[in-house]
Amino acid sequence: SSEVTQDPAVSVALGQTVKITCQGDSLRMYYASWYQQKPGQAPVLVIYGKNNRPSGIPDRFSGSNSGNTASLTITGAQAEDEADYYCSSRDISGNHHYAFGSGTTVTVL
Amino acid sequence: EVQLVQSGTEVKKPGESLKISCKGSGYTFTNYWIAWVRQMPGRGLEYLGIIYPLDSDTRYGPSFEGQVTISADTSNSTAYLQWSSLRASDTAMYYCARKYSDSYSEAFDIWGHGTMVTVSS
């Protein structure tokens, strides 16, 4: 199996930009997807593929990829963006195994 | 509306069996893989496994093979996660999620609201 790793926490001033990263060997082969989870709620998909946003996700959320690193950027962070963010990728074996990162807590100051 | 509706909160004793459910609606249930994800209290998301309802092709995460059983019933568009003998360490929120895929990407695009399972003597 393979892992994807994330920094545990990051803070951002209201209206500023924050980048969350996810690293893993599988990211050289597969795009990451990103999920936002607020306390007491189910995760919500915010970014997938090269840089795709599901319907209803604000365009301040964007994704990028380079080598073994995937990134989620929030440009102009809002108070409602305070949440845990998880990346996920297919396992490097490609055998319908998936891994989630340990999550990054984003605090909006 | 595309949605996954999960069964309700469960409180069980160690050693008991349990089967929780995830009913899909608003889309063709047999066309999408359904995954199960565990979240222990205060912890992150863990991938348990996935099933393709059309042919019941099932794959388990390395840590969960033999620990849980995933199944699906296409006649009522429902996926299941079951345990034969619960342990206290199974206490967690369990989510089901639909896997979307196209030629370039894949993601868990629709999530159930979660089923809280508490195992305590």
Side-chain angles (χ1 to χ4, degrees), chain A residues 15-87:
Chain A
Q16 296 304 299
T17 296
V18 62
K19 179 183 270 192
I20 306 163
T21 60
C22 177
Q23 291 189 301
D25 288 341
S26 62
L27 299 176
R28 298 184 185 278
M29 300 174 61
Y30 303 105
Y31 286 120
S33 51
W34 291 92
Y35 304 87
Q36 176 192 69
Q37 187 180 34
K38 297 180 180 179
Q41 297 183 20
V44 172
L45 176 66
V46 294
I47 289 290
Y48 66 99
K50 191 173 183 180
N51 181 19
N52 302 305
R53 280 177 291 106
S55 173
I57 301 301
D59 61 6
R60 62 179 179 270
F61 290 90
S62 63
S64 60
N65 305 271
S66 178
N68 73 336
T69 302
S71 301
L72 173 70
T73 300
I74 309 174
T75 303
Q78 301 300 302
E80 61 264 31
D81 300 333
E82 188 162 287
D84 292 330
Y85 291 84
Y86 295 91
C87 65

Side-chain angles (χ1 to χ4, degrees), chain B:
Chain B
E1 180 192 5
V2 176
Q3 58 180 350
L4 297 172
V5 178
Q6 297 188 231
S7 50
T9 298
E10 300 279 357
V11 180
K12 307 292 279 186
K13 289 180 167 35
E16 293 185 331
S17 63
L18 176 64
K19 191 174 189 177
I20 63 174
S21 66
C22 167
K23 183 175 176 62
S25 62
Y27 72 100
T28 303
F29 184 72
T30 50
N31 286 0
Y32 293 83
W33 293 79
I34 293 287
W36 286 95
V37 177
R38 181 176 81 173
Q39 188 168 37
M40 299 175 76
R43 305 297 294 272
L45 304 175
E46 299 175 273
Y47 171 78
L48 274 70
I50 198 166
I51 187 166
Y52 191 59
L54 182 64
D55 60 6
S56 292
D57 185 0
T58 306
R59 316 291 175 90
Y60 293 94
S63 301
F64 296 97
E65 183 89 48
Q67 307 304 308
V68 296
T69 301
I70 294 171
S71 61
D73 182 346
T74 57
S75 68
N76 63 3
S77 300
T78 301
Y80 300 95
L81 177 66
Q82 69 180 89
W83 297 258
S84 58
S85 181
L86 286 161
R87 300 177 286 192
S89 57
D90 293 317
T91 294
M93 180 72 82
Y94 292 86
Y95 295 102
C96 61
R98 186 182 81 164
K99 193 191 84 168
Y100 162 87
S101 63
D102 60 27
S103 301
Y104 307 100
S105 61
E106 55 188 7
F108 301 114
D109 66 336
I110 303 294
W111 290 69
H113 54 81
T115 295
M116 184 66 210
V117 174
T118 301
V119 183
S120 174
S121 54

Side-chain angles (χ1 to χ4, degrees), chain A residues 86-109:
Chain A
Y86 295 91
C87 65
S88 178
S89 172
R90 186 185 279 242
D91 184 275
I92 200 166
S93 72
N95 192 22
H96 287 284
H97 291 161
Y98 296 84
F100 287 95
S102 53
T104 298
T105 298
V106 172
T107 301
V108 180
L109 303 173

